[in-house]
Amino acid sequence: MTTNAPRPEVLRYTAFSATPDGGNPAGVVLDATGLDDGAMLAVAAELGYSESAFLTAPPEGLGGREGRAYRIRYFSPKAEVPFCGHATVAAAVALAERIGPGELVFATRAGTVPVEVAEEGGTVRATLTSVEPHVEGIDGADLAEALAALDWPAADLDPAFPPRIAFAGARHLVLAAATRARLADLAYDFARLEALMHRLDLITVQLVWRESATVFHVRDPFPVGGVVEDPATGAAAAAFGAYARELGLVPEDAVLTLYQGEDLGRPGELTVTLRAGDPRIRVGGAGARIG
């Protein structure tokens, strides 16, 4: 961005909450035309949210209705990330308030992500459909290093949920706590976990505790983004949905509820929908403008 270019309008929205004081805040720039990578990173760093979304004209061949298709990029305060669920929801809610609810299509670095936006009783909700996911194992030494960085004894893991790396637009290490108390007690070595995550190309560590067959509580350390913890993480929720289905922990057709942000004082709720015969994961939630 040139020095005499006007400053873009930066909106602030929260995702996965119907009220501004819950969920995960994101910056949204609906017209990032003229912003280069450095300018987008500077906006994200100034805001200090875990991610901000920057929209420009769609690439040729993206599809979608005219005026409802965009290229979207995501920046944390430290770096660009390939996909961010909560900033996608935030951007979709911001667009819906201007052009109305309905279908949107976003071109992300990870692939094409359709989003359906609807208004229900005065609350705007957005549901994204992920790119095709996959799940892979983790080396024993890498797992040991992750647990050491978290200061989690291996005995505190839930043996029904084996550690895996899951992808649905970004890579996340899934670790399941045996108790809610273990999940609540999060005080980790920031630099040590960040180094491991860079080496394994991880965006967050998805820490989960199962309350019931379809209800989970989750937390997401995000040191690679310069943030201790992400309050509500749509990309990790999509990755977890793929993980849970592939390991047979939930049915092929299922609707999961993930609660996140309670331990940070920013409660949020993410809905993860799995459909038999469709490998993609749907992640939805409410959104609200901040300020």
Side-chain angles (χ1 to χ4, degrees), residues 23-25 49-51 84 86 203-204 218-222 227-236 260-261 264:
N24 196 353
Y49 295 152
S50 55
E51 276 105 358
C84 172
H86 89 271
I203 296 299
T204 75
V218 300
R219 302 184 73 173
D220 281 81
F222 186 34
V227 177
V228 173
E229 184 177 351
D230 206 22
T233 318
Q260 189 173 355
L264 294 173

Side-chain angles (χ1 to χ4, degrees), residues 3-272:
T3 55
N4 60 353
R7 180 178 174 83
E9 182 182 18
V10 181
L11 307 172
R12 295 165 174 80
Y13 278 77
T14 194
F16 304 116
S17 171
T19 61
D21 56 349
N24 196 353
V28 178
V29 178
L30 294 179
D31 183 5
T33 306
L35 296 186
D36 60 19
D37 291 12
M40 287 187 268
L41 182 60
V43 169
E46 182 179 341
L47 281 173
Y49 295 152
S50 55
E51 276 105 358
S52 294
F54 299 84
L55 279 60
T56 54
E60 188 174 348
L62 176 62
R65 288 172 48 199
E66 185 175 355
R68 301 190 70 89
Y70 301 86
R71 185 188 302 276
I72 186 168
R73 297 176 67 184
Y74 313 96
F75 283 80
S76 78
K78 293 181 71 171
E80 185 173 8
V81 298
F83 175 65
C84 172
H86 89 271
T88 300
V89 168
V93 171
L95 284 169
E97 290 183 351
R98 287 154 180 80
I99 63 176
E103 296 181 358
L104 299 164
V105 181
F106 292 123
T108 79
R109 277 179 49 197
T112 301
V113 175
V115 182
E116 179 69 31
V117 189
E119 186 174 349
E120 305 170 1
T123 298
V124 181
R125 292 182 58 87
T127 300
L128 65 88
T129 299
S130 77
V131 299
E132 188 162 338
H134 61 260
V135 179
E136 63 188 70
I138 179 170
D139 179 79
D142 291 334
L143 173 60
E145 177 63 10
L147 294 175
L150 290 167
D151 195 23
W152 278 28
D156 285 357
L157 296 179
D158 185 341
F161 289 75
R164 295 287 189 275
I165 294 172
F167 169 92
R171 286 164 57 85
H172 306 266
L173 171 60
V174 180
L175 298 174
T179 65
R180 182 66 178 89
R182 172 70 278 177
L183 184 70
D185 184 11
L186 181 62
Y188 69 92
D189 186 324
F190 190 96
R192 188 172 182 178
L193 188 60
E194 180 185 20
L196 175 67
M197 292 172 68
H198 276 302
R199 183 161 59 78
L200 298 180
D201 191 27
L202 301 174
I203 296 299
T204 75
V205 178
Q206 172 85 330
L207 305 174
V208 307
W209 173 72
R210 186 173 202 164
E211 177 183 313
S212 69
T214 59
V215 175
F216 298 84
H217 296 255
V218 300
R219 302 184 73 173
D220 281 81
F222 186 34
V224 297
V227 177
V228 173
E229 184 177 351
D230 206 22
T233 318
F240 176 72
Y243 159 93
R245 181 175 58 191
E246 178 158 317
L247 272 65
L249 301 168
V250 297
E252 290 189 11
D253 266 315
V255 177
L256 313 179
T257 300
L258 274 58
Y259 292 110
Q260 189 173 355
E262 298 162 306
D263 299 289
L264 294 173
R266 292 196 63 90
E269 181 176 329
L270 301 86
T271 301
V272 178

